[in-house]
Amino acid sequence: MKIALGGVVRGGTSLAYETGTWRDRKPIIDYDLCKGCGVCEEVCPDNVIHDVNGVYAIDYGYCKGCGLCAYECHVNAIEMIFEAK
Amino acid sequence: MGDNGKTERVLEGSEAVALAIKACRPGVISTYPISPQTHIVEALARMVVNGELESEYVRVESEFSAASVLAGASAAGSRSYTASTSQGLLLMTEVIYASAGMRLPFVITGVNRAVSAPISIQPDHQDAMSLRDSGIIQIYVESSQEAYDTHIAAFKIAEDPRIALPVMVCMDGWILTHSYERVRLVEQEEVDRFLPPFKPIHFLDVNDPKSWGPIADEDLYMEFRYAIHDAMQMGKKRIKEIFSEWADISGRDHGGLIEAYRTKDAEIVLIAMGSVAGTAKDAVDHLRTGGKKVGLIKIRCYRPFPYEDILKAIQDAKVVAVMEASFSMGSEGAIGLDLKAKLYGRSKTPVVIDMIAGLGGRVITRGTIYKIVEQVEKACESGAVPFEPYWMDLKPEVLP
Amino acid sequence: MSEKNAVQEKDLFVSGHRACHGCGQALAVRHILKATGRDVIVITPTGCLETFTLTYGYSSWRVPFMHHLFENGPSVATGVVAALKAQHRDHIRVLVIGGDGSTFDIGFGALSGMLERGDDVLYICMDNGAYMNTGGQRSGATPIYAGTTTHPVGKKSIGKPQLKKDMPAIVAAHGAPYVATASVAYLKDLRRKVEQAMTYQGPRYIQIDAPCPSVWGFPSDRTLEIGRLGVQSGLVPVFEMVDGRITGVRKIRTRVPPREYLSAQRRFKHLLEGNRAAREGFEKICAMADSNIEKYGLMD
């Protein structure tokens, strides 16, 4: 692909760079405990937790596994599981 | 008749530049005072406050910011302009490199002045040379008239989508900025036809959000840098076309990338840039009447370096004397370095002798130029091409 | 765009950025843009933010974004504001999001110029108290006695000996109509302040305490926790100033001893480990927390 004049980049293109490979711990939501408060969505620096039709879902394609969602969850509904690489 | 009628006026060089800028209708002008550039931005300020010029006129706190304002304004899609000199240009250096890399087509007047230390407000070209490698196009002018004409062409060059680079029009401080000359102005409608509103390829647009200033590492950095060089090389043709288009409109032809003055059949060719070219032309005329086959190349466009045109103009010369108003400490003058690099290895090349002249405003008269020619003749007779450049009118008796 | 990406279609700051795990400023930026909406142009001086959001071919921004140099964010913003005015694009606002290195140190002159001119720019400083992009060197924003790589802790040093520059006061002294501090620990408050700032014209300033797990030295899941401890200990006062007067503060609910904040971070650990200088340093920081509480009225 030709380089753009002056290095200008189209907005939102980092979606093509999946940071999920950086992860060594994976957050798992326990939907029995989840109250749907949305704190996890709020505190995610990587914008990977979304309300999908009324249920919070984690996009593991980008989740780096920082654990903020699990630490901040008021009802301990998220567990961090070590992933074998 | 208004300022922009097809009229002739006696103007201070700075005012001629300000009138050219006004005619180009810049959206944004940023300014910071430094002698001998200040008269230009003062003249523009008067035009803005009197309602003659509709521009956002931004008074900043340093030249660094003056150039940065241009980067932002240009990226946001406005034609933008500032002027500076000497230390001010040096302070802008980092901004100019980045702006050329981001292909932002603003225009700067580089009023040429010596660089500290010691401090000197007198003209030479050392300041502009600090931006030599930055990717800014540099065009030097000989007179206020040429300054007026070149600034209008400069925006068209900068904004050409095949070029898309900042342009600096260089004019000698005091000699041009503060002297009065007859200047012929072109009507606004003609300028508008020649220079339509700025239409950038990309701009900061909320409806089509793009990002500027990325990191590019070893996989692409080189290509981005080469693209700047390529735009300059390819741009040479376009610059000539734009100059000649303006020559047709204004009725004044200052030449292309260079102006070759009586170089046909010349054995000795002088090379000069800026206001000294006028003196050199007089000297050439005088020497010619005395039977010496001397000519002059005035370099108008210094970056991109027009070696093709220079080589053609000196192909029959025996010797070329490069008059340099700047110096690369520990080496020699910049133009000499450029020229010798392009000549090396070719057959039948003239001898190139570097003459450092006019640093810090040291006066160059016709007499100086006669001495240069004598010096060159002597070197030719002895057959020994000196490694070291000549420093014209240097006072060895005061050296420590 | 893949199916899983479709959900981010409306976000102005998207995934795929390369910030470290648990990055405080990546989180803050998400919320800043939620508060500003899409009609903004963002200028970011060189620093972590620019580095992790814009590698050629990959941008995390869905608003027009420009990085130019380290020290000229404010003046580039001035240029953008001027161009918008010249083009009558009046509904578009300009934001600078800079780190503390560019804000407190290298771009300070440009910021002062922008403030003095009164340009209509919201300047947001992501304050993580050191040069994180280069690995944690001291800046004018580094808190006293924090260890940094250029002022390390050693036999003759308990970290940076100088106080953090009081930037909000300096900005307010320029006559900025709105100045605030915020913390990533209180995201609702942060969003509200950005919204509030957007209602003013002229230069506005928000300084966001953005904990950095990598350099402050704490686990990546504690970013908000560390932010909270900072605020609740009185060491990171969160307040709002209108026309130079403090108009609101975030009150401390349950006061946390500074020790808890300090001991949770590698950069302060040495203060709790024994020698006389460290003990004195520790006492001084405790006294600072007390004086902040009094000065800003952080407790009822």
Side-chain angles (χ1 to χ4, degrees):
Chain A
M1 203 154 65
K2 302 270 187 202
I3 53 171
L5 186 83
V8 173
V9 181
R10 212 155 45 79
T13 36
S14 70
L15 286 171
Y17 186 78
E18 300 208 346
T19 50
T21 53
W22 296 19
R23 188 176 59 239
D24 59 8
R25 294 180 310 157
K26 185 176 186 174
I28 309 284
I29 300 177
D30 181 340
Y31 289 102
D32 291 336
L33 296 173
C34 175
K35 299 226 180 322
C37 71
V39 159
C40 52
E41 187 272 339
E42 176 106 342
V43 302
C44 176
D46 290 286
N47 200 27
V48 305
I49 308 184
H50 304 280
D51 180 344
V52 182
N53 307 322
V55 178
Y56 283 95
I58 297 171
D59 185 340
Y60 293 109
Y62 304 105
C63 172
K64 294 170 188 158
C66 70
L68 260 172
C69 53
Y71 189 85
E72 294 297 326
C73 179
H74 302 319
V75 291
N76 292 324
I78 304 178
E79 197 182 350
M80 299 301 292
I81 309 286
F82 275 96
E83 285 183 299
K85 289 275 163 181
Chain B
M1 195 172 271
D3 286 336
N4 288 299
K6 209 162 216 164
T7 178
E8 190 173 84
R9 289 176 56 188
V10 175
L11 291 171
E12 193 192 44
S14 297
E15 187 144 25
V17 171
L19 285 169
I21 298 309
K22 178 191 166 197
C24 295
R25 304 182 189 275
V28 176
I29 297 169
S30 64
T31 64
Y32 189 78
I34 177 169
S35 298
Q37 161 275 133
T38 315
H39 281 192
I40 299 172
V41 295
E42 285 174 343
L44 287 166
R46 286 192 298 273
M47 293 172 186
V48 170
V49 300
N50 291 331
E52 297 160 31
L53 169 60
E54 252 185 77
S55 283
E56 289 302 316
Y57 186 99
V58 189
R59 298 132 181 110
V60 292
E61 78 296 338
S62 72
E63 288 91 352
F64 190 87
S65 281
S68 302
V69 164
L70 301 194
S74 188
S78 278
R79 179 170 292 156
S80 42
Y81 169 81
T82 193
S84 192
T85 179
S86 186
Q87 308 305 128
L89 290 175
L90 266 66
L91 190 55
M92 287 181 180
T93 306
E94 193 192 0
V95 185
I96 302 298
Y97 267 84
S99 300
M102 290 167 73
R103 311 299 292 274
L104 299 170
F106 50 74
V107 170
I108 291 180
T109 304
V111 170
N112 293 113
R113 186 191 120 181
V115 166
S116 277
I119 191 165
S120 161
I121 59 167
Q122 301 307 323
D124 72 26
H125 294 167
Q126 194 71 51
D127 52 358
M129 287 302 150
S130 73
L131 295 170
R132 182 187 68 176
D133 306 331
S134 67
I136 197 168
I137 288 174
Q138 292 194 24
I139 304 169
Y140 287 73
V141 301
E142 177 188 337
S143 64
S144 295
Q145 181 70 70
E146 192 179 352
Y148 173 84
D149 292 322
T150 305
H151 276 89
I152 297 169
F155 281 104
K156 188 151 177 147
I157 292 165
E159 293 167 12
D160 187 291
R162 286 157 286 186
I163 297 175
L165 285 170
V167 174
M168 177 163 67
V169 180
C170 299
M171 65 192 292
D172 290 313
W174 309 112
I175 297 170
L176 294 181
T177 52
H178 286 63
S179 59
Y180 284 76
E181 253 186 63
R182 282 185 312 175
V183 178
R184 287 182 69 90
L185 305 170
V186 175
E187 282 176 51
Q188 185 66 52
E189 304 82 78
E190 301 259 27
V191 177
D192 288 342
R193 246 197 307 281
F194 172 77
L195 184 69
F198 175 37
K199 275 209 192 84
I201 296 165
H202 308 289
F203 71 103
L204 295 164
D205 179 8
V206 293
N207 298 314
D208 182 15
K210 290 174 184 163
S211 299
W212 303 62
I215 295 172
D217 276 334
E218 65 279 10
D219 55 339
L220 284 176
Y221 180 86
M222 249 174 111
E223 285 70 22
F224 278 114
R225 303 304 292 177
Y226 180 80
I228 303 172
H229 174 63
D230 195 43
M232 282 219 181
Q233 286 302 108
M234 296 298 153
K236 285 177 181 173
K237 187 168 159 266
R238 195 60 200 121
I239 295 170
K240 281 192 214 177
E241 286 166 6
I242 290 169
F243 281 156
S244 108
E245 205 182 311
W246 182 250
D248 288 344
I249 291 168
S250 64
R252 289 179 294 272
D253 190 353
H254 303 287
L257 303 174
I258 64 169
E259 179 195 350
Y261 186 78
R262 305 186 80 168
T263 51
K264 223 176 185 185
D265 85 336
E267 290 173 356
I268 298 172
V269 174
L270 301 163
I271 292 186
M273 293 199 303
S275 61
V276 75
T279 314
K281 284 174 187 169
D282 277 354
V284 164
D285 288 344
H286 180 79
L287 291 164
R288 282 269 179 182
T289 51
K292 280 193 202 299
K293 290 183 171 176
V294 183
L296 168 78
I297 291 172
K298 179 179 94 176
I299 296 181
R300 299 188 66 210
C301 183
Y302 168 67
R303 279 292 179 273
F305 188 64
Y307 64 89
E308 302 92 335
D309 298 23
I310 298 174
L311 260 47
K312 207 168 143 202
I314 61 173
Q315 60 189 352
D316 299 321
K318 283 188 187 145
V319 56
V320 173
V322 185
M323 294 168 64
E324 308 257 21
S326 71
F327 191 75
S328 174
M329 293 298 161
S331 182
E332 58 183 281
I335 307 169
L337 288 170
D338 277 341
L339 184 59
K340 282 186 253 185
K342 292 297 183 190
L343 281 172
Y344 184 79
R346 283 163 209 283
S347 60
K348 215 173 78 73
T349 58
V351 168
V352 179
I353 298 177
D354 219 31
M355 300 283 179
I356 310 305
L359 298 193
R362 179 70 53 89
V363 176
I364 300 176
T365 62
R366 276 182 298 181
T368 319
I369 292 164
Y370 302 150
K371 271 196 281 181
I372 285 172
V373 171
E374 266 170 47
Q375 195 72 260
V376 166
E377 284 174 324
K378 249 190 271 170
C380 280
E381 273 162 35
S382 71
V385 181
F387 269 116
E388 285 292 314
Y390 290 103
W391 287 64
M392 295 308 297
D393 296 333
L394 191 74
K395 300 171 183 165
E397 67 277 13
V398 305
L399 290 172
Chain C
M1 192 181 286
S2 76
E3 212 171 302
K4 66 185 168 192
N5 293 344
V7 76
Q8 298 201 23
E9 225 164 325
K10 280 187 188 152
D11 290 327
L12 298 174
F13 188 69
V14 302
S15 302
H17 65 70
R18 304 171 194 213
C20 305
H21 295 67
C23 174
Q25 50 170 318
L27 175 56
V29 170
R30 273 188 64 207
H31 290 273
I32 290 166
L33 292 186
K34 276 184 192 181
T36 60
R38 60 191 294 276
D39 285 341
V40 291
I41 293 171
V42 175
I43 310 298
T44 289
T46 311
C48 283
L49 184 60
E50 156 268 329
T51 310
F52 73 69
T53 59
L54 186 58
T55 294
Y56 181 70
Y58 304 91
S59 165
S60 304
W61 302 87
R62 281 239 189 83
V63 291
F65 172 90
M66 182 168 173
H67 154 248
H68 199 255
L69 292 167
F70 200 178
E71 63 275 50
N72 69 358
S75 25
V76 169
T78 294
V80 174
V81 168
L84 292 173
K85 234 185 201 175
Q87 298 164 23
H88 309 293
R89 287 200 273 161
D90 299 326
H91 67 293
I92 298 164
R93 306 293 294 276
V94 177
L95 227 67
V96 177
I97 310 178
D100 55 274
S102 70
T103 307
F104 284 60
D105 292 353
I106 198 167
F108 184 68
L111 175 59
S112 176
M114 185 202 92
L115 295 168
E116 183 269 337
R117 284 189 299 274
D119 296 325
D120 186 36
V121 176
L122 169 55
Y123 192 103
I124 296 176
C125 173
M126 291 292 183
D127 178 14
N128 50 28
Y131 291 89
M132 300 328 189
N133 206 22
T134 42
Q137 298 76 26
R138 69 85 87 186
S139 79
T142 303
I144 193 165
Y145 304 138
T148 64
T149 61
T150 47
H151 210 124
V153 175
K155 250 187 211 161
K156 295 178 176 176
S157 158
I158 54 164
K160 185 200 177 197
Q162 299 90 2
L163 287 169
K164 180 188 187 88
K165 207 187 267 189
D166 188 356
M167 249 342 241
I170 293 168
V171 175
H174 282 77
Y178 185 84
V179 174
T181 60
S183 164
V184 294
Y186 303 99
L187 292 164
K188 209 171 136 193
D189 178 66
L190 189 160
R191 287 197 301 271
R192 186 189 64 76
K193 282 173 174 160
V194 175
E195 280 164 13
Q196 190 65 24
M198 296 295 279
T199 66
Y200 290 83
Q201 295 289 320
R204 295 140 287 147
Y205 180 80
I206 300 176
Q207 185 169 302
I208 299 174
D209 187 57
C212 169
S214 310
V215 178
W216 291 13
F218 61 82
S220 67
D221 58 359
R222 305 293 157 92
T223 305
L224 274 73
E225 176 66 11
I226 297 294
R228 278 191 292 269
L229 292 173
V231 174
Q232 297 299 321
S233 64
L235 288 169
V236 181
V238 172
F239 57 89
E240 215 168 3
M241 293 167 96
V242 174
D243 293 331
R245 287 210 185 125
I246 292 181
T247 52
V249 295
R250 168 163 279 275
K251 298 279 184 188
I252 292 171
R253 255 181 260 159
T254 320
R255 194 176 174 193
V256 165
R259 176 182 292 275
E260 267 187 53
Y261 176 65
L262 302 173
S263 64
Q265 304 171 55
R266 189 176 58 230
R267 62 176 179 159
F268 288 123
K269 276 230 161 93
H270 58 281
L271 294 176
L272 307 162
E273 284 166 3
N275 71 26
R276 208 172 63 120
R279 274 199 306 279
E280 281 172 13
F282 175 74
E283 291 304 325
K284 197 163 168 183
I285 288 180
C286 292
M288 271 172 52
D290 290 340
S291 99
N292 280 344
I293 288 168
E294 199 189 314
K295 179 179 171 190
Y296 296 99
L298 299 176
M299 287 179 83
D300 288 323

